Amino acid sequence: KDLMSYQLLSVDKEGLATSPGLKERNYMGLSDCSSVDSSTIPNVDKKSSLNFKATELRLGLPESSQSPQRETDFGLLSPRTPDEKLLFPLLPCKDHASGNKRGYLAKSGSNNAPASKAQVVGWPPIRSYRKNTMASSTSKNTNEVGLGPLFVKVSMDGAPYLRKVDLRTYTCYQHLSSALEKMFSCFTLGQCGLHGAHGRERMSEVKLKDLLHGSEFVLTYEDKDGDWMLVGDVPWEIFTESCRKLKIMKGSDSIGLAPSAVEKSKNKD
Amino acid sequence: MDLRLPSKVLEHILSFVDSNEDRNSVSLVCKSWFETERRTRKRVIVRNCYAVTPEAVARRFPEMRSLTLKGKPHFADYNLVPDGWGGYAWPWIEAMAEKCPSLEELRLKRMVVTDECLEKIAASFKDFKVLVLTSCEGFSTDGLAAIAVACSNLRELELRECIVEDLGGDWLSYFPETLTSLVSLDFSCLDSEVKLSDLERLVSRSPNLKSLKLNRAVSLDALGSLLRLAPQLVELGTGSFSDKLDQEAVSKLSQAFSEMKELKSLSGLWDVLPEYIPLLYSVCPGLTSLNLSYATVQMPDLLELLTRCSNLQKLWVMDLIEDKGLEVVASSCKELRELRVFPSGAEGLNDTNVAMTEQGLVSVSEGCPNLESVLYFCVQFTNAAMVTIARNRPNLKCFRLCVMEPFAPDHKTQKPLDEGFKAIVERCKDLQRLSVSGLLTDKAFEYIGTHGKKLRMLSIAFAGDSDLMLHHLLSGCESLNKLEIRDCPFGDTALVANAAKLETMRSLWMSSCCVSFGACKLLSQKMPKLNVEVIDEHPLETRPDSSPVERIYIYRTLAGPRLDMPEFVWTIQKNPEIGVSHLAIK
């Protein structure tokens, strides 16, 4: 689900909103915004960058930009009624080099592109110690004993949820393939029955690789450049370095992929 | 006729009063009770190191043997407090060295501890026994060597999640051969390898050793020999659990584990390979505490392990456990009291198909009647789930839910999570600690203010609509002690209107909210017993009253303004010529 696609309901005096329309909420986080460049933030009124009242950052749907801009007198004496929304000005951002701190950014990407996460200091609230420990385990030198995990997500067409696997626990494609088979066999059993893969009577003997070779499903991965490739083409070590996600796709969907690889897998049959 | 209890009698009675809360009450009865109590108190806990001066503490409790101090506010754990803010241990250690040289135990949390501090401890306290540093920083392994070499009666040395400058593993080799009193050693947060032979010798000459937590660099092979030397351990933190061992080594390790009849707590397990998990089966039935939060074990491999942990009271795990694993916990771990589920990877935010959902926690709330403390990170949640959890577990004391996507609504109904948290505070009448997340309106806080009468600590992020939210909390939550808020859209009105409340609390933290500089000044003037600290790394050159501040940390104190404030911390004492502001409170 797109980060931006949920709808924020307003609150009226009586309680939770039941009004059918959407009210836009204006909210702005003032986390250390030293590295926030106002040019990357939509709707920031640049000409009044020193005027707190007029700069506002909206967290709302992209198509809601035609809603009227509200100005509220930001002062201590302004009376607050329960349903008066407060606009919070964006501090003019100085360009401080502050290392790993990032400001709060609301991304209003188009609905098609997967929304990138807002980068927020200290969120989710995980202790630095824990973060460092997990980070150091994934970046450890491959020559060292006791490598950290290398988690990638595995999704499968038609499966209700995805799994994560640690690529470091496998040593070769065969190993990975049989592990995935175990993990996803509960989803493939049904499929195999439908397509009568190899006329086997006992479901448990049907292997994923048979399904793969039966060209019903292919195992693909997204590499670090964002391209989807077929699994098995490159040496195992290179694969683990570059694989970011795994997907068990229906054979018909894999036709866009590296054609030589598809040819290769067909020739294996 | 003098009706007072002779002080010797009172002293004797008080020797049975252990809890500091009770002792605090005793000290309020009358002057003589105050005097007797203070002269006999051995364990002193100062939960905000800036609330009182070290000298005042030393003066009041001359017989102090154990001192516990906390420094930085809790949100420092999440990098919200800039480096250099404060929390220095030195003034305390210096003062105690002079006034309480019989000090034996020091426990510090979120403080800056330098090598000089450690050297001073080693040099000053002749009978020093216990050093526990939690989430501390500022020292190196050289400081540890100083402690090791000098403290001849050392019983406990524990470094819990500290940031240590690691100059190597030879600090451990400084423990003299004459040191035989060790009961607990925790160096799990260090990186460097220690010399195995020195560690083995230390362990073998420590017959009272009950708790040993190794660092990751200690191999699985080494673990085997250590366990054989210390089968009496009650708490074990393993090192890395992933070396390839041959069959003989594996069976020896298995044997070593099965000899450990006293083991109650197990942690570490870094990089544990699935094929080694069966090694742990023999200790599982005895375990009351299991920390798998650094073990990257997948759900299928966890199930067998969990079904054997029938006495488990505390479980820390990663979300790799999935709903299915939590169902197994619910059916196997009937004694469970505390559950913490940590996120395994930050990329969960874009997923809707995740294998761990609110259902996992619901299962545990159904199956575990003693569950009273929960920390749960997950991608999304529902009101219905919270209502069910509240209904199942009205005995909850601590409920910390972290829905990782800010402003995430109930993912089934798209409504705010107000009703869910309402159920929690309404039903769980003994709730003392609450962390809220997800999409929340002012309503949620109205409920919390109305029902959260026993609530002592509350953490809030990305929530609410207006000042009403803060007003509900400050005026409703009678027991509120610590309130920490980030990225919420309010500030001045409720804060200033409820200023008196702040003196009844230990502290209030607000960051990235909308508190104005003027309100801070006003509060400072109105409430002289509070330290109102404005922490702004990027202050404007001229600071108009209306400008919002980045962070504000308010705490009650007897010590007045602190003397170690860095540049980026402002208090009104720094700028006394600012007169009373024109701002009035309605």
Side-chain angles (χ1 to χ4, degrees):
Chain A
K1 235 192 198 166
D2 200 332
L3 179 69
M4 300 304 291
S5 63
Y6 61 78
Q7 291 151 0
L8 302 173
L9 303 178
S10 70
V11 177
D12 58 27
K13 282 180 183 142
E14 271 72 58
L16 289 177
T18 49
S19 56
L22 292 176
K23 280 205 195 143
E24 188 186 317
R25 158 174 309 197
N26 293 304
Y27 169 77
M28 202 279 305
L30 285 176
S31 298
D32 180 358
C33 60
S34 55
S35 54
V36 173
D37 178 5
S38 60
S39 64
T40 63
I41 301 171
N43 302 330
V44 169
D45 186 355
K46 291 194 179 109
K47 63 177 189 285
S48 49
S49 61
L50 288 178
N51 178 351
F52 300 134
K53 296 174 194 171
T55 56
E56 59 177 82
L57 185 66
R58 290 176 174 198
L59 183 64
L61 301 174
E63 56 264 27
S64 64
S65 52
Q66 53 266 54
S67 310
Q69 299 220 0
R70 284 174 53 191
E71 278 211 18
T72 309
D73 184 39
F74 178 46
L76 288 179
L77 298 182
S78 55
R80 302 278 173 81
T81 59
D83 53 16
E84 181 182 71
K85 308 291 184 297
L86 194 62
L87 296 180
F88 304 110
L90 180 64
L91 277 176
C93 297
K94 301 201 180 140
D95 202 4
H96 286 253
S98 59
N100 57 358
K101 296 210 165 96
R102 293 186 227 128
Y104 180 76
L105 304 169
K107 304 277 172 102
S108 61
S110 73
N111 282 330
N112 301 324
S116 34
K117 301 195 290 282
Q119 303 288 341
V120 186
V121 174
W123 189 265
I126 303 169
R127 279 195 181 169
S128 333
Y129 174 78
R130 179 172 293 277
K131 269 198 219 164
N132 294 343
T133 304
M134 297 312 292
S136 72
S137 67
T138 52
S139 64
K140 264 191 168 176
N141 193 315
T142 47
N143 290 330
E144 286 176 38
V145 176
L147 292 175
L150 193 60
F151 280 110
V152 295
K153 285 182 246 184
V154 190
S155 56
M156 174 166 165
D157 283 340
Y161 54 78
L162 49 75
R163 306 297 300 277
K164 283 188 206 181
V165 293
D166 176 2
L167 287 183
R168 295 232 194 278
T169 59
Y170 311 110
T171 50
C172 60
Y173 286 116
Q174 179 62 34
H175 199 182
L176 172 66
S177 162
S178 38
L180 289 178
E181 168 240 327
K182 262 194 279 186
M183 257 187 220
F184 286 91
S185 56
C186 50
F187 306 128
T188 57
L189 291 180
Q191 308 286 351
C192 131
L194 279 177
H195 302 283
H198 292 276
R200 290 184 208 262
E201 290 169 46
R202 286 170 52 209
M203 295 299 196
S204 58
E205 282 177 22
V206 177
K207 303 225 188 313
L208 188 64
K209 67 173 164 63
D210 295 325
L211 289 171
L212 293 182
H213 284 207
S215 78
E216 203 43 58
F217 288 96
V218 289
L219 185 58
T220 62
Y221 72 101
E222 187 185 80
D223 71 5
K224 53 189 171 202
D225 299 323
D227 300 320
W228 284 94
M229 319 274 279
L230 283 175
V231 167
D233 284 346
V234 300
W236 174 255
E237 288 73 24
I238 300 189
F239 165 69
T240 55
E241 291 298 305
S242 58
C243 172
R244 291 289 167 263
K245 271 190 218 179
L246 284 166
K247 188 165 181 172
I248 304 173
M249 276 184 190
K250 287 215 165 69
S252 48
D253 293 342
S254 71
I255 289 186
L257 301 178
S260 60
V262 173
E263 283 304 310
K264 219 193 273 182
S265 81
K266 277 193 181 150
N267 292 337
K268 277 183 194 154
D269 283 341
Chain B
M1 187 171 107
D2 192 344
L3 294 171
R4 282 184 303 185
L5 211 49
S7 60
K8 283 289 172 211
V9 175
L10 186 56
E11 262 181 50
H12 184 70
I13 297 172
L14 287 185
S15 64
F16 295 103
V17 179
D18 214 33
S19 124
N20 273 6
E21 218 181 310
D22 292 339
R23 278 185 163 262
N24 289 345
S25 306
V26 164
S27 66
L28 293 173
V29 169
C30 63
K31 274 200 178 129
S32 72
W33 280 42
F34 178 88
E35 282 300 307
T36 308
E37 194 283 312
R38 77 173 186 87
R39 285 189 210 283
T40 56
R41 193 185 298 208
K42 298 264 186 324
R43 245 179 356 120
V44 176
I45 303 176
V46 179
R47 291 187 172 88
N48 176 0
C49 67
Y50 290 120
V52 67
T53 64
E55 292 75 23
V57 173
R59 215 175 19 241
R60 181 171 167 188
F61 301 112
E63 294 301 308
M64 177 179 13
R65 293 285 176 272
S66 156
L67 177 61
T68 302
L69 291 172
K70 293 190 188 176
K72 300 185 198 179
H74 173 235
F75 270 0
D77 283 353
Y78 316 128
N79 292 343
L80 292 179
V81 178
D83 283 338
W85 170 84
Y88 303 105
W90 177 258
W92 287 87
I93 294 170
E94 199 185 19
M96 296 311 143
E98 196 198 326
K99 303 196 158 66
C100 292
S102 312
L103 192 69
E104 295 174 2
E105 305 180 8
L106 202 50
R107 293 176 173 82
L108 307 178
K109 186 167 182 180
R110 281 190 213 104
M111 295 194 78
V112 177
V113 179
T114 58
D115 286 346
E116 286 72 37
C117 294
L118 298 175
E119 284 155 15
K120 185 85 170 160
I121 292 171
S124 314
F125 305 115
K126 292 303 158 209
D127 209 15
F128 198 69
K129 294 195 167 79
V130 171
L131 182 63
V132 177
L133 303 177
T134 306
S135 300
C136 293
E137 52 172 354
F139 60 101
S140 76
T141 44
D142 284 351
L144 298 178
I147 298 281
V149 82
C151 300
S152 48
N153 290 323
L154 195 67
R155 276 201 334 237
E156 296 176 31
L157 176 60
E158 294 182 18
L159 308 173
R160 301 180 188 169
E161 299 195 345
C162 295
I163 315 270
V164 184
E165 191 188 345
D166 199 324
L167 303 171
D170 29 307
W171 62 273
L172 187 105
S173 309
Y174 282 85
F175 283 113
E177 292 296 323
T178 47
L179 182 76
T180 55
S181 48
L182 214 53
V183 172
S184 167
L185 179 63
D186 179 352
F187 60 99
S188 52
C189 64
L190 299 181
D191 286 326
S192 295
E193 213 176 314
V194 298
K195 202 157 161 215
L196 182 61
S197 54
D198 287 343
L199 181 56
E200 284 173 346
R201 277 209 305 279
L202 179 63
V203 168
S204 22
R205 66 174 183 275
S206 304
N208 298 324
L209 193 66
K210 292 276 183 288
S211 172
L212 180 62
K213 297 189 181 165
L214 308 167
N215 68 353
R216 206 171 185 171
V218 176
S219 66
L220 200 51
D221 210 12
L223 179 68
S225 52
L226 288 167
L227 294 186
R228 277 189 287 284
L229 292 170
Q232 78 281 6
L233 287 177
V234 175
E235 294 181 352
L236 171 66
T238 73
S240 169
F241 222 89
S242 63
D243 315 332
K244 295 290 179 195
L245 295 180
D246 60 33
Q247 197 47 47
E248 196 200 327
V250 170
S251 70
K252 276 173 113 175
L253 187 56
S254 176
Q255 179 67 22
F257 269 111
S258 59
E259 301 284 314
M260 301 188 72
K261 307 290 185 202
E262 313 289 325
L263 197 66
K264 293 227 172 340
S265 161
L266 183 60
S267 59
L269 300 170
W270 282 294
D271 319 315
V272 59
L273 294 178
E275 58 259 37
Y276 290 148
I277 293 190
L279 286 171
L280 306 172
Y281 290 169
S282 57
V283 296
C284 285
L287 288 182
T288 55
S289 167
L290 179 57
N291 184 350
L292 292 168
S293 64
Y294 294 105
T296 48
V297 193
Q298 305 275 34
M299 184 271 291
D301 305 311
L302 277 180
L303 297 186
E304 270 297 322
L305 186 69
L306 293 169
T307 48
R308 289 155 199 264
C309 294
S310 48
N311 283 315
L312 211 57
Q313 293 175 17
K314 178 166 127 169
L315 176 63
W316 290 20
V317 75
M318 287 204 273
D319 60 8
L320 303 168
I321 194 174
E322 300 180 6
D323 286 346
K324 237 176 153 200
L326 289 174
E327 273 168 38
V328 170
V329 170
S331 57
S332 310
C333 308
K334 292 301 186 188
E335 304 295 320
L336 197 68
R337 294 193 193 158
E338 176 179 326
L339 174 68
R340 294 197 190 189
V341 181
F342 296 94
S344 54
E347 69 272 345
L349 290 180
N350 288 334
D351 291 331
T352 43
N353 320 337
V354 284
M356 198 193 81
T357 69
E358 69 275 5
Q359 190 49 46
L361 187 56
V362 171
S363 313
V364 177
S365 75
E366 270 160 14
C368 302
N370 296 324
L371 186 71
E372 54 182 31
S373 174
V374 171
L375 169 62
Y376 201 76
F377 280 84
C378 67
V379 177
Q380 56 199 13
F381 224 79
T382 64
N383 284 310
M386 270 196 267
V387 169
T388 307
I389 292 167
R391 205 179 39 235
N392 291 338
R393 292 276 67 79
N395 50 323
L396 281 176
K397 293 214 172 71
C398 167
F399 186 72
R400 296 162 72 188
L401 177 64
C402 181
V403 177
M404 289 192 285
E405 189 178 304
F407 312 114
D410 177 324
H411 69 91
K412 289 202 174 127
T413 65
Q414 300 309 313
K415 289 193 148 79
L417 291 178
D418 298 347
E419 295 302 311
F421 283 107
K422 176 188 183 197
I424 294 281
V425 290
E426 236 182 352
R427 294 240 179 197
C428 306
K429 305 232 185 287
D430 290 327
L431 197 67
Q432 290 180 15
R433 184 166 178 184
L434 178 65
S435 300
V436 299
S437 55
L439 182 65
L440 296 168
T441 71
D442 285 347
K443 260 300 175 190
F445 300 97
E446 191 189 321
Y447 300 142
I448 295 174
T450 309
H451 298 287
K453 295 304 179 191
K454 296 250 177 87
L455 211 52
R456 296 175 56 79
M457 182 168 176
L458 182 55
S459 311
I460 305 172
F462 304 108
D465 301 315
S466 74
D467 265 63
L468 264 194
M469 163 194 171
L470 186 58
H471 179 69
H472 288 313
L473 295 175
L474 292 179
S475 56
C477 297
E478 292 158 2
S479 311
L480 199 58
N481 193 28
K482 283 203 293 186
L483 180 57
E484 47 187 23
I485 304 176
R486 63 164 297 176
D487 292 88
C488 291
F490 60 75
D492 296 345
T493 318
L495 197 56
V496 180
N498 289 286
K501 171 79 175 173
L502 299 176
E503 266 184 13
T504 69
M505 292 167 55
R506 191 187 312 164
S507 65
L508 168 64
W509 169 278
M510 287 171 57
S511 56
S512 305
C513 297
C514 229
V515 181
S516 72
F517 188 58
C520 296
K521 285 194 293 187
L522 191 62
L523 261 179
S524 308
Q525 285 151 8
K526 249 183 113 173
M527 313 293 300
K529 287 209 211 126
L530 299 177
N531 272 358
V532 177
E533 293 190 10
V534 173
I535 304 167
D536 254 342
E537 282 177 292
H538 311 104
L540 305 168
E541 273 140 33
T542 55
R543 240 203 263 225
D545 279 359
S546 59
S547 63
V549 301
E550 285 172 24
R551 307 170 190 81
I552 176 172
Y553 183 46
I554 303 173
Y555 52 92
R556 65 180 171 200
T557 179
L558 298 171
R562 57 186 176 108
L563 303 170
D564 57 4
M565 283 185 279
E567 245 177 36
F568 54 81
V569 174
W570 175 94
T571 62
I572 197 160
Q573 288 79 15
K574 275 191 178 179
N575 221 335
E577 64 266 18
I578 292 178
V580 178
S581 63
H582 324 292
L583 309 159
I585 310 301
K586 284 194 176 165

